[in-house]
Amino acid sequence: MLTENELNELREASKQTRINIVKMVHAAKSGHPGGSLSGADILNVLYNKCLNIPKEWDKSPDFEKRDRFILSKGHASPLLYSVLAQHGLFDEKELMTFRKFGSKLQGHPSCRMLKGVETSTGSLGQGLSIGCGVAMGLKLDNNPANVVVYTGDGELQEGSCWEAFMQAGHRKLDNLIAIIDRNRLQIDGDTEKVMGLDNLNDKLRAFNWNVIEINGHDYNQIYDAFMQAKKSTKPCAIIANTIKGKGVSFMENQAGWHGKAPNDEQLIQALKDLEET
């Protein structure tokens, strides 16, 4: 369990992450706020309490032993960029260059442009397959690091995800953790109307994965689930039930805010909502 001081620090960190997200997308006049806001609590727990990721990145003597984090839903790049900056991997002032020509902070993450990004992502359905390969390589090297793949739920409608689930289960990749942002919305609407995923728990267990289902906005549940996942003897999936657009009143549970920037008036309201959280 996290202490009250730790919880307060995480609340402040998540609030700042969400403020950064809406400011970045507003400044760029494009981007994906909904699914970025839903994951702020999860990534702040991971980067502040769970993952072994050196702030010095490749300058660290323990670089090869770092945990690998893969943002499979690459369109949630504002979320990752904000957390990486808050974690000290680059200057937070650069956040406002998001999606600008020549910026390190492209619309989808590029490992060639920014330290802290393990692999370039954006084409949905590929992150988990990459994660399987990385996890297998780490095992061959007797490297104790974990691989964490963060996916969207709509993304799981891609068939390649299920090939990866099957491969990981078959290979018993107990160093692989998939975190599924289960906000139940995608660009075309309700995931269950586009292509139903339920009962997701049973599907994943059938592929020989351990499954933990949590409230993706509860810091203790996020932390405890990750600690359990690290002890799993199988690959482990954490299904994190979240609210798309979390923290911004007019974005919450609205599929229309999957990939749309707020205007000036909406930015003011969004910041007001977040400051009052």
Side-chain angles (χ1 to χ4, degrees), residues 34-40 42 73 76 79 149-156 178-185 191 216-217 238-244:
S36 296
L37 292 166
S38 63
I42 297 167
K73 48 180 279 185
L79 166 61
V149 181
Y150 184 72
T151 76
D153 50 0
E155 180 178 7
L156 299 188
I179 302 179
I180 301 165
D181 185 351
R182 188 72 167 113
N183 60 45
R184 294 183 172 267
L185 291 173
T191 56
H217 301 302
I238 299 172
I239 300 174
N241 294 298
T242 64
I243 297 171
K244 193 155 190 157

Side-chain angles (χ1 to χ4, degrees), residues 78 98 152 200 242:
F98 175 58
L200 186 55
T242 64

Side-chain angles (χ1 to χ4, degrees), residues 225-243:
F226 190 83
M227 292 299 106
Q228 289 179 52
K230 285 178 67 175
K231 298 174 184 177
S232 176
T233 57
K234 300 177 180 180
C236 188
I238 299 172
I239 300 174
N241 294 298
T242 64
I243 297 171

Side-chain angles (χ1 to χ4, degrees), residues 183-230:
N183 60 45
R184 294 183 172 267
L185 291 173
Q186 58 193 105
I187 194 167
D188 290 328
D190 187 327
T191 56
E192 300 315 291
K193 292 180 179 177
V194 177
M195 187 179 292
L197 294 167
D198 284 335
N199 188 338
L200 186 55
N201 305 53
D202 290 344
K203 289 182 173 72
L204 294 171
R205 289 192 178 97
F207 280 71
N208 203 29
W209 282 60
N210 281 335
V211 181
I212 304 169
E213 186 166 4
I214 62 169
N215 175 349
H217 301 302
D218 184 304
Y219 300 113
N220 276 314
Q221 287 189 34
I222 298 165
Y223 177 79
D224 290 346
F226 190 83
M227 292 299 106
Q228 289 179 52
K230 285 178 67 175

Side-chain angles (χ1 to χ4, degrees), residues 69-82:
F69 177 82
I70 297 171
L71 181 73
S72 189
K73 48 180 279 185
H75 57 275
S77 59
L79 166 61
L80 179 61
Y81 294 153
S82 179

